[in-house]
Amino acid sequence: MSQTEFLSGLVERVTYHNMDTGYCVLRIKVEKQKDFVTVVGHANAISAGEFINASGEWVHDRNYGPQFKASFLKACAPTTEEGIEKYLGSGLIKGIGPVYAKKLVQAFGLNVFDVIENMPASLKTVAGIGSHRASLIIKGWQDQKAIREIMLFLHQHGISTARAVRIYKAYGAEAIRAITEDPYCLARDIRGIGFKSADQIAQKVGLAKDSPLRVRAGITHILLKATEEGHCGLPEKDLLSGVEQTLEVPSSIIQEALGRELDKGELIRDLLEGEAGIFLKGLYYAEFNTARLLRELSKGSLPWGDLGVEQEISWSEEKLGFSLAQSQKEALIKALSSKVMVITGGPGAGKTTLIKSLLTILAASKLKIMLCAPTGRAAKRLTETTGLMAKTIHRLLETEPGSHRFKRGPDHPLDCDLLVVDEVSMIDVPLMNSLLKALPLKTALVLVGDADQLPSVGPGDVLKALLQSNALPVVTLTEIFRQSAQSRIILNAHRVNQGKMPLETASEPSCDFYFIRARDPEDCRQKLIDVVQNRIPKKFGVHAITDIQVLCPMNRGSLGARLLNIDLQKALNPFSDLKIDRFGFTYGIGDKVMQTTNNYDKDVYNGDIGFIRGIDAEAQELMIEFEEKSVTYDFGELDEVALAYATTIHKAQGSEYPVIVIPFMMQHFPMLKRNLLYTGITRGKSLVVVIGEKKAMAIAVKDHHTKRKYTKLKDWLEKPER
């Protein structure tokens, strides 16, 4: 049995700190030791300059050498001038970076904390500190003081303080009162704090295990967890068993709490696939309203009136300079005679040509036409292919800063005669409901999507419900045209969709699809980095960071997006002048990043890709340049951003990249599905490279089963009467 040892020292550098788990890697200056010591352990919050006391054991890591593995680690405020300088210079307080930390310590010595707290006017006696910087320092210190109180409160109640800044921003001075009265508000209001953490606090502040507040929160938690998996509701029996297993309270108490929530109208009970189901009120009515609004829109006269369809089609062919196939002509006739319709088909089947012909005909009638798509990249592609400006759905509906609401709605509708929506497979029920509410009844609607791609990440499966219900006219394009058939990307995408293995790499120089075999995960990782860093840029003349996108089946594992991002960052952007560590990632100038959640205040949305163009350590701000704008983030907001050298195939839905590289190994077994591989391949515009095992690809090609989603939209579309 290892003997416990003790170690104390000054934190010279925080090499790594995961603020979700508390795991940290520290470089410690220990008295009477020449070299720094590496300490690994867990700490709620840690900064350079603090003094730590730790107990644990020495271990030898094969990659990093000797380390002190701490089973207990406690940090305290620095008491030396050297420690205070490092502490203030670590970016903890806005307005103080390494330069001003040194000046403040030189001016006030060990009394610097007392000066900031009680004699802030004295700050302006330091060279370079004027009124503006002094106010930044004072406010930063006050914020930190409030945050430290919250941190202390949370620490006393057994929870990580990683989200203290967000808690303070959400509740301000009322934070501790709000948490004490209803700990579950944290799970509802604070991104990154789940039910489990809130439940720990609830029990620490004395809330009974069978408290109605806890049980009601548990019911909501299980339903919200289901929406994260794409469901709009749950069978009642599954909900009850899930709550009972999570809360460990008798079913009678759960049923009583469920009855109260149903009586209050917060939850809805209705049939779900032939049995009793429970729905969150908002989602239930979002599905119901989506079906109702689609039916209402489909009625009435066409905005463009009666057209000589045959003549219009001939005119559009002459104007655009190409002839339509018979299947496309039939689809166009159907589109011109339908007020609401769905167009679906795979890559190379002529969806773009059909939409372009339709818009050419209708634009000549002086109609007001709008185009939109779920993501910025999809909207940009729609603009390029049609020649008309397309927007993201969020920007089309005009998000209101400070809320998750849209300015556009029934009282302020969109002014258009025709709306074309692309990549409908990505759209979840709440967003589709919001879009439909903003359309006046006079508007015609064309919904375009590929039914064989992955469904929306959010709740519901809108496109699938539309196709299965037969409630609206549908055009399904299946013919692959000659020019598209020459692309191995398109050919192999359709082969995968038909349950066939992709063709091996062709010998011709113009081949746009390659499969590279890998023996094992490490071989795959090394080949992937070499392909991205060297082989593709040299052979095809593309830029590794801006033009190549690595798409992973999953986030976890050595070939998951998270770890590959770290490897690719080291390979592609190793010389950044300035870097910061936050939330388990290192961010540097030039890094490729992705927004991972909708931020209505900043007008950036899940899936938006940008590049870091500036880091201000003293202001604790980072600037990211997206396609349409530059956006500033506080360091504490960087859990909304992830490195994007690699991302998941799910996150890439609706996007198209010049070059994509896909690792595909047995390691990804849980995600080896046909629609995942198909979606990944179809994201590539000019070149697709798959690196992996043929066995993994064969499993994916054979597995055509899609994930089940509990939803009522198909029922509402088929049977509108309640």
Side-chain angles (χ1 to χ4, degrees):
M1 187 172 181
S2 302
Q3 184 177 358
T4 299
E5 298 188 48
F6 299 91
L7 182 144
S8 300
L10 185 74
V11 179
E12 177 70 19
R13 184 174 77 246
V14 179
T15 303
Y16 175 82
H17 185 214
N18 186 316
M19 297 183 76
D20 292 317
T21 64
Y23 178 76
C24 57
V25 180
L26 312 174
R27 294 288 281 169
I28 305 299
K29 185 177 182 181
V30 178
E31 191 177 355
K32 296 181 181 179
Q33 286 199 26
K34 182 179 179 181
D35 297 327
F36 293 121
V37 172
T38 298
V39 174
V40 297
H42 290 79
N44 292 323
I46 193 80
S47 294
E50 290 184 298
F51 194 85
I52 66 158
N53 293 304
S55 60
E57 60 179 333
W58 286 97
V59 297
H60 188 88
D61 186 277
R62 65 175 184 173
N63 294 319
Y64 301 108
Q67 298 180 337
F68 189 81
K69 188 175 181 181
S71 56
F72 170 82
L73 195 156
K74 182 179 180 181
C76 54
T79 56
T80 66
E81 290 189 358
E82 179 187 12
I84 291 171
E85 184 179 327
K86 282 193 172 296
Y87 184 68
L88 290 175
S90 66
L92 185 73
I93 299 167
K94 281 191 177 183
I96 305 178
V99 172
Y100 283 96
K102 188 177 189 68
K103 289 184 177 182
L104 286 166
V105 171
Q106 286 176 344
F108 305 115
L110 297 176
N111 297 320
V112 64
F113 293 154
D114 185 53
V115 169
I116 298 173
E117 174 77 27
N118 300 311
M119 297 176 286
S122 301
L123 293 173
K124 287 186 279 187
T125 63
V126 177
I129 298 183
S131 298
H132 176 67
R133 186 175 297 277
S135 64
L136 277 179
I137 294 171
I138 294 164
K139 184 179 184 304
W141 180 262
Q142 290 170 344
D143 287 347
Q144 282 300 317
K145 184 178 179 182
I147 291 165
R148 283 197 300 274
E149 289 179 3
I150 296 169
M151 284 182 171
L152 179 61
F153 174 81
L154 293 174
H155 177 66
Q156 289 171 341
H157 293 92
I159 186 173
S160 166
T161 58
R163 306 297 172 185
V165 173
R166 286 192 179 276
I167 293 172
Y168 176 66
K169 283 186 176 180
Y171 306 122
E174 298 295 308
I176 294 176
R177 182 193 61 77
I179 295 168
T180 305
E181 290 181 357
D182 180 9
Y184 300 101
C185 67
L186 293 172
R188 293 192 300 270
D189 301 337
I190 309 297
R191 182 176 177 271
I193 296 184
F195 175 83
K196 186 176 179 181
S197 297
D199 198 37
Q200 289 175 353
I201 292 184
Q203 294 182 47
K204 290 283 186 178
V205 298
L207 200 67
K209 202 171 183 180
D210 59 355
S211 162
L213 179 65
R214 179 173 186 257
V215 179
R216 291 199 301 272
I219 292 170
T220 302
H221 161 66
I222 297 297
L223 286 171
L224 287 173
K225 188 177 177 183
T227 68
E228 292 171 2
E229 296 172 359
H231 303 297
C232 290
L234 279 179
E236 186 169 345
K237 60 178 176 38
D238 292 354
L239 172 63
L240 292 172
S241 64
V243 176
E244 186 173 359
Q245 184 177 356
T246 301
L247 300 187
E248 298 179 339
V249 296
S251 60
S252 58
I253 295 176
I254 300 170
Q255 288 174 337
E256 183 181 348
L258 176 60
R260 289 177 182 170
E261 293 297 284
L262 290 167
D263 290 341
K264 285 165 47 181
E266 295 300 319
L267 303 179
I268 306 290
R269 179 188 278 131
D270 200 353
L271 283 178
L272 181 61
E273 298 188 0
E275 58 181 319
I278 303 296
F279 303 80
L280 292 166
K281 179 178 68 175
L283 266 179
Y284 180 82
Y285 286 112
E287 286 206 291
F288 175 75
N289 286 330
T290 295
R292 177 182 61 82
L293 291 167
L294 283 169
R295 286 194 305 273
E296 290 179 0
L297 273 174
S298 65
K299 299 172 184 176
S301 57
L302 295 168
W304 47 85
D306 294 326
L307 294 173
V309 176
E310 295 291 346
Q311 295 92 329
E312 293 288 349
I313 292 175
S314 297
W315 174 80
S316 70
E317 287 178 315
E318 183 178 341
K319 184 173 178 62
L320 293 172
F322 54 72
S323 297
L324 296 173
Q326 186 58 37
S327 60
Q328 289 175 310
K329 289 181 180 179
E330 292 171 1
L332 192 51
I333 291 170
K334 195 170 187 178
L336 288 167
S337 60
S338 304
K339 192 157 180 288
V340 177
M341 75 167 303
V342 181
I343 299 173
T344 185
K351 293 195 303 293
T352 299
T353 301
L354 177 59
I355 293 300
K356 200 168 184 179
S357 300
L358 176 66
L359 294 176
T360 298
I361 292 170
L362 296 180
S365 300
K366 306 299 182 184
L367 295 171
K368 293 180 180 178
I369 299 172
M370 289 184 174
L371 286 73
C372 66
T375 67
R377 282 182 171 265
K380 184 180 180 182
R381 192 170 76 248
L382 188 58
T383 298
E384 291 169 350
T385 56
T386 64
L388 298 176
M389 177 57 68
K391 295 182 178 181
T392 64
I393 297 174
H394 286 88
R395 291 192 173 97
L396 184 74
L397 297 179
E398 300 175 23
T399 55
E400 287 185 332
S403 75
H404 290 189
R405 297 176 182 174
F406 298 111
K407 294 179 183 178
R408 295 288 182 173
D411 299 328
H412 185 36
L414 296 166
D415 182 17
C416 63
D417 300 303
L418 170 67
L419 177 67
V420 177
V421 187
D422 200 9
E423 296 288 357
V424 176
S425 64
M426 291 185 65
I427 303 176
D428 60 25
V429 166
L431 187 57
M432 179 58 79
N433 181 44
S434 296
L435 181 60
L436 294 173
K437 285 194 297 185
L439 290 183
L441 291 178
K442 67 169 187 174
T443 304
L445 177 65
V446 176
L447 302 169
V448 187
D450 184 347
D452 295 313
Q453 286 189 29
L454 291 166
S456 63
V457 176
D461 199 343
V462 174
L463 183 57
K464 184 177 179 181
L466 291 172
L467 297 176
Q468 290 182 346
S469 68
N470 296 314
L472 300 171
V474 175
V475 166
T476 303
L477 300 173
T478 56
E479 182 181 353
I480 304 177
F481 294 95
R482 184 182 302 171
Q483 185 176 355
S484 297
Q486 296 173 359
S487 166
R488 281 290 180 103
I489 295 174
I490 291 175
L491 181 62
N492 281 333
H494 283 279
R495 286 183 64 86
V496 167
N497 206 24
Q498 295 161 5
K500 301 175 184 177
M501 288 288 286
L503 296 174
E504 292 284 343
T505 303
S507 57
E508 60 266 21
S510 60
C511 182
D512 59 4
F513 184 98
Y514 292 84
F515 176 71
I516 300 173
R517 298 190 187 212
R519 297 185 306 273
D520 51 47
E522 180 57 23
D523 184 42
C524 180
R525 189 187 72 84
Q526 291 179 0
K527 285 178 175 174
L528 184 145
I529 293 170
D530 182 46
V531 160
V532 173
Q533 185 180 20
N534 301 310
R535 293 175 61 184
I536 293 177
K538 287 177 182 177
K539 182 176 176 63
F540 297 96
V542 299
H543 191 277
I545 296 179
T546 57
D547 296 333
I548 303 175
Q549 183 62 54
V550 175
L551 300 182
C552 304
M554 54 204 292
N555 259 315
R556 300 186 306 275
S558 61
L559 293 173
R562 185 176 181 88
L563 288 181
L564 281 178
N565 264 315
I566 296 171
D567 290 335
L568 289 166
Q569 182 189 43
K570 290 176 182 175
L572 302 178
N573 191 32
F575 304 117
S576 176
D577 295 331
L578 181 60
K579 293 185 176 181
I580 60 148
D581 297 314
R582 284 296 186 279
F583 300 101
F585 284 109
T586 298
Y587 298 96
I589 303 292
D591 274 335
K592 182 180 184 180
V593 294
M594 176 184 285
Q595 177 75 17
T596 59
T597 185
N598 291 335
N599 188 318
Y600 296 86
D601 294 334
K602 295 183 186 298
D603 194 27
V604 287
Y605 303 99
N606 193 351
D608 286 355
I609 285 182
F611 297 88
I612 297 176
R613 299 305 186 202
I615 297 175
D616 188 333
E618 292 188 358
Q620 295 185 60
E621 292 178 344
L622 179 150
M623 192 269 282
I624 300 175
E625 182 181 66
F626 293 96
E627 285 187 354
E628 298 180 2
K629 61 166 68 177
S630 294
V631 180
T632 299
Y633 291 76
D634 286 341
F635 287 174
E637 296 175 319
L638 290 179
D639 60 342
E640 294 185 5
V641 173
L643 292 175
Y645 299 99
T647 188
T648 62
I649 295 172
H650 279 88
K651 284 283 188 187
Q653 276 182 273
S655 297
E656 188 177 66
Y657 307 91
V659 180
I660 64 165
V661 179
I662 306 175
F664 217 74
M665 300 285 289
M666 290 302 296
Q667 179 187 107
H668 303 122
F669 184 79
M671 300 299 293
L672 298 182
K673 306 288 183 183
R674 182 185 298 175
N675 61 351
L676 184 95
L677 179 58
Y678 172 77
T679 302
I681 291 172
T682 56
R683 299 309 88 203
K685 185 177 181 180
S686 303
L687 178 66
V688 172
V689 179
V690 180
I691 306 173
E693 298 168 289
K694 291 196 74 173
K695 181 180 179 182
M697 195 175 288
I699 289 172
V701 166
K702 290 177 183 177
D703 193 344
H704 65 279
H705 300 289
T706 56
K707 184 179 177 182
R708 182 184 194 179
K709 284 191 172 190
Y710 287 113
T711 165
K712 275 188 73 72
L713 181 56
K714 178 174 174 286
D715 293 344
W716 290 129
L717 289 165
E718 290 176 338
K719 302 171 185 176
E721 300 82 10
R722 293 189 62 183

